[in-house]
Amino acid sequence: MWLPESIVWLDVGWLMMLSGFTSFITAALGIGGGVLLLAVLSQMLPLAALIPVHGLVQLGSNGNRAWMTRRHVDWQVVGLFLGGAILGAVAASFVVVQLPLDLLRISVALFIIYLVWGPKPAKVSLSSTQLFAAGGLTTLLSAFVGATGPLVAAVLHRRKLSKLQTVATFATCMSFQHLLKGVVFSVVGFAFSEWLWVILLMIAAGVVGTWLGLKVLNRIPAAMFSWVFRGVVTLLALRLLYQGLT
């Protein structure tokens, strides 16, 4: 197996541990594993690889949950979201290549800070047309900042779905969004083949982390963990913001 020139096998080991740990956090505490993964990856990977690699790792995580809960998916909701997401992905393919890397650093850093410290996205009740539009806008945004899960969740949580339907439909929508994002970056020339083994190993570690997290679900005091989590993610985001500005 070969690796991109920018990393070595020791880095891969750290990335696997990171993927497993963030998946453990999401499963055990129900908070921000994807955001933490994005924040730490921004310090470890070349910036050009940050969003596409993060996206495919998240595709593996969400795809696993979607498959396990496939019987509960609301396919009408997914179909509307996916229709808009396809248009958003097409738009992103024309724009993403023109975004300077320093602007990408600043965008990702500010978005992470907003997700950690800003108000929680309001749960809004959307019509079918608005849900279609939300799929397009969040997919377009995802190509630049990566972690749009909280925004998608805010939309789906007001669709009068049961708990299982919400989990399954959210995971399916996010799987399609990350898949489309992967297609966008392939079209604009990102060499996923160079990162294939890194991505697969991180996905495998994430499966283990999710399994362990489910074993200790609700046993870890989330309130105590929250401030440590916020502090670490904020420091990483501020470092990325500083790099972009300087």
Side-chain angles (χ1 to χ4, degrees):
M1 294 188 294
W2 50 280
L3 300 174
E5 295 181 358
S6 55
I7 65 173
V8 297
W9 278 109
L10 180 60
D11 297 324
V12 176
W14 283 112
L15 290 172
M16 291 177 64
M17 291 175 61
L18 171 65
S19 179
F21 178 65
T22 55
S23 295
F24 174 86
I25 288 175
T26 299
L29 300 174
I31 62 172
V35 177
L36 178 58
L37 178 64
L38 181 66
V40 180
L41 286 182
S42 70
Q43 315 298 316
M44 299 181 66
L45 299 185
L47 195 63
L50 173 61
I51 302 299
V53 171
H54 175 269
L56 281 201
V57 172
Q58 290 299 98
L59 170 60
S61 176
N62 284 283
N64 181 50
R65 287 202 310 276
W67 175 255
M68 292 175 61
T69 58
R70 60 190 182 279
R71 295 182 180 179
H72 303 281
V73 174
D74 186 323
W75 288 106
Q76 181 181 9
V77 172
V78 172
L80 290 167
F81 183 91
L82 178 59
I86 292 173
L87 293 183
V90 172
S93 67
F94 290 103
V95 181
V96 69
V97 293
Q98 303 176 20
L99 193 67
L101 291 182
D102 284 333
L103 182 56
L104 181 61
R105 283 191 178 95
I106 294 170
S107 300
V108 172
L110 292 177
F111 193 70
I112 290 173
I113 292 172
Y114 169 77
L115 290 179
V116 173
W117 293 104
K120 298 298 182 183
K123 297 178 181 180
V124 293
S125 182
L126 302 183
S127 66
S128 296
T129 301
Q130 291 170 325
L131 179 58
F132 181 92
L137 290 174
T138 57
T139 301
L140 176 62
L141 183 62
S142 181
F144 305 110
V145 298
T148 57
L151 302 180
V152 177
V155 172
L156 296 183
H157 284 177
R158 288 296 295 272
R159 294 294 297 187
K160 297 181 180 179
L161 304 176
S162 68
K163 182 176 180 180
L164 275 174
Q165 283 180 316
T166 299
V167 170
T169 304
F170 172 74
T172 304
C173 286
M174 292 306 298
S175 296
F176 280 122
Q177 186 174 91
H178 288 304
L179 177 62
L180 288 170
K181 187 164 58 178
V183 172
V184 168
F185 280 99
S186 295
V187 169
V188 301
F190 182 76
F192 277 108
S193 59
E194 295 183 13
W195 293 89
L196 179 61
W197 285 110
V198 176
I199 291 169
L200 291 177
L201 289 171
M202 288 182 69
I203 290 174
V207 171
V208 175
T210 297
W211 180 80
L212 291 174
L214 291 174
K215 292 293 184 181
V216 297
L217 183 62
N218 296 326
R219 295 182 184 178
I220 300 176
M224 181 181 68
F225 181 85
S226 177
W227 284 100
V228 176
F229 169 82
R230 287 185 171 193
V232 170
V233 173
T234 300
L235 288 175
L236 293 172
L238 289 175
R239 183 173 185 272
L240 186 63
L241 180 62
Y242 174 79
Q243 292 172 336
L245 293 173
T246 57

